[in-house]
Amino acid sequence: MGRQIDIEERGDTLTLRQTRWGRLMAALYRAVVVFPLVMLALMVVFMPDYIFRFAEEEPVTGLFWAAFAGLALLVAGLASTMRYLRRDRWIFDGSSRMVVAEMATLWGEPGRGEADLRELESMGLMRRRWPKKSALILRLKSGREETVFSGRGMGAELESVADSIMEFLRRQRYHIELERLDDTDEEA
């Protein structure tokens, strides 16, 4: 299995981005979660009509459920495609003393947020076992929290990313703490 986060360091700049494999895994998880939720929503809305009217008038047995599954598959496919196309990039720039988050969009300029490196208070690492999400969180002195990366089954990789960020910040003379928000046993 490949890495889900790419770490690139050039001089005084550390750049983090999800790899294609990481975006694909996030998209697949999104599809797995969205499909049953859409099926359940469709069943709740249309089940009374099916029970009282459509069951007797259905030309082919199972056509009603096949239409539900097709619609749920379409919605899950669209949601996972949108997740795959999202490209986030975090840039820690030591020379300009900024941390920049860029969220690429399909059209137009990428969304961009930035903060001074002196505003960083700490980083939080929430490491959980597979079905639950692990996350790497950046905390600012203003009280805001930004999720750098999160995903299912990424605990060990997020820990190595956090170590890389902490080492880079130390070389740039910024000392922040890494808080472990949810220590669990090693991932299986």
Side-chain angles (χ1 to χ4, degrees):
M1 203 169 13
R3 291 188 53 88
Q4 294 187 32
I5 300 172
D6 183 34
I7 303 169
E8 179 182 332
E9 187 170 351
R10 288 188 183 168
D12 287 344
T13 305
L14 179 72
T15 305
L16 307 168
R17 66 175 61 92
Q18 273 191 315
T19 62
R20 286 184 180 159
W21 175 255
R23 292 191 337 240
L24 178 65
M25 293 306 295
L28 289 175
Y29 285 133
R30 169 94 30 108
V32 166
V33 168
V34 168
F35 179 78
L37 291 176
V38 172
M39 278 294 287
L40 182 64
L42 289 172
M43 285 175 32
V44 166
V45 171
F46 293 108
M47 186 59 85
D49 284 343
Y50 177 74
I51 292 173
F52 295 114
R53 195 173 107 207
F54 294 137
E56 298 167 358
E57 299 173 7
E58 192 172 23
V60 177
T61 304
L63 184 63
F64 188 75
W65 296 108
F68 275 178
L71 186 58
L73 191 60
L74 175 70
V75 171
L78 287 173
S80 65
T81 300
M82 295 305 291
R83 176 59 186 101
Y84 179 77
L85 294 175
R86 189 175 107 193
R87 295 179 313 273
D88 298 347
R89 182 169 70 163
W90 285 81
I91 303 166
F92 292 84
D93 192 351
S95 60
S96 64
R97 299 179 180 184
M98 299 293 287
V99 58
V100 178
E102 291 181 350
M103 284 60 74
T105 57
L106 291 176
W107 297 279
E109 297 290 321
R112 184 178 171 99
E114 55 188 39
D116 196 307
L117 283 176
R118 290 175 286 212
E119 290 296 314
L120 298 181
E121 183 177 318
S122 66
M123 282 185 23
L125 177 63
M126 187 181 317
R127 191 170 173 186
R128 295 180 170 174
R129 288 187 172 265
W130 175 69
K132 296 181 180 177
K133 274 190 175 182
S134 297
L136 182 61
I137 300 167
L138 198 61
R139 290 197 175 119
L140 303 175
K141 290 180 181 174
S142 65
R144 275 189 20 205
E145 291 185 354
E146 296 292 333
T147 302
V148 179
F149 290 107
S150 67
R152 290 170 174 80
M154 292 179 59
E157 189 164 1
L158 286 177
E159 189 165 359
S160 71
V161 168
D163 292 339
S164 297
I165 294 171
M166 298 295 288
E167 181 62 32
F168 174 79
L169 291 174
R170 280 189 199 104
R171 284 196 308 270
Q172 299 298 321
R173 296 184 194 100
Y174 294 100
H175 299 284
I176 62 173
E177 292 185 31
L178 177 63
E179 300 173 5
R180 300 201 183 267
L181 303 175
D182 190 15
D183 285 331
T184 59
D185 299 332
E186 290 296 313
E187 290 186 4

